[in-house]
């Protein structure tokens, strides 16, 4: 099938072509994975106690600037890597909560990820 979207934000099941194309909820789960990456981008820029980080794209330290699907698949599916969550986020309540949400958006199993309603309520 034809994969469309920004490769860097593709969920594991999209990268390895295991997504169930006949089930609409599969696409919602894939979107939650990408949402977790966007939250990571935003959280990096938050200033907590005078500390913040420069803007970076997810996986900036693991893949080239325009990664192939295969490069992303190796990192996300084979190595099961996810963006780094700095230790100093633990010192800020908001960033601590956001870090937990992100990690629960990045599960390899799409069905295990948070729902949009659960994220909103949290």
């Amino acid at each position: 099938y034809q994969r469309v979207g920004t490769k860097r934000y593709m969920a594991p099941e999209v990268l390895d072509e295991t997504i169930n194309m006949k089930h609409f909820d599969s696409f919602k789960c894939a979107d939650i994975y990408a949402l977790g990456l966007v939250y990571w981008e935003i959280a990096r820029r938050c200033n907590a106690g005078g500390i913040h980080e420069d803007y970076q794209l997810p996986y900036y330290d693991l893949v080239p600037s325009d990664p192939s699907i295969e490069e992303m698949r190796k990192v996300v599916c084979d190595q099961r890597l996810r963006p780094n969550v700095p230790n100093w986020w633990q010192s800020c309540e908001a960033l601590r909560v956001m870090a937990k949400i992100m990690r629960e958006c990045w599960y390899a199993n799409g069905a295990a990820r948070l729902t949009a309603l659960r994220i909103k309520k949290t």
Side-chain angles (χ1 to χ4, degrees):
Y1 74 97
Q2 185 63 43
R3 286 176 284 200
V4 292
T6 307
K7 298 177 196 84
R8 187 178 294 276
Y9 294 85
M10 287 180 176
E13 62 273 22
V14 176
L15 292 168
D16 68 10
E17 299 185 12
T18 60
I19 189 170
N20 181 351
M21 303 284 286
K22 296 180 177 72
H23 195 52
F24 182 70
D25 280 356
S26 301
F27 294 97
K28 294 198 292 188
C29 292
D31 284 346
I32 291 294
Y33 169 87
L35 178 65
L37 295 176
V38 173
Y39 284 159
W40 176 86
E41 289 180 79
I42 294 167
R44 275 180 60 90
R45 302 296 292 135
C46 290
N47 186 332
I51 311 170
H52 71 276
E53 295 173 88
D54 292 335
Y55 176 76
Q56 290 289 0
L57 289 166
Y59 302 107
Y60 72 95
D61 50 347
L62 301 169
V63 296
S65 58
D66 184 21
S68 67
I69 285 179
E70 184 56 24
E71 287 167 327
M72 288 307 304
R73 191 190 62 72
K74 280 189 179 120
V75 168
V76 174
C77 302
D78 297 350
Q79 299 170 19
R80 292 182 167 250
L81 297 174
R82 297 297 183 265
N84 179 50
V85 174
N87 289 332
W88 68 265
W89 288 11
Q90 294 303 308
S91 62
C92 171
E93 177 63 18
L95 288 176
R96 188 163 55 241
V97 171
M98 286 304 295
K100 184 176 189 298
I101 290 171
M102 284 172 224
R103 288 192 181 102
E104 293 179 5
C105 291
W106 295 337
Y107 289 137
N109 175 2
R113 294 180 198 135
L114 296 175
T115 62
L117 182 60
R118 180 74 266 157
I119 292 168
K120 180 182 173 192
K121 285 181 174 177
T122 304

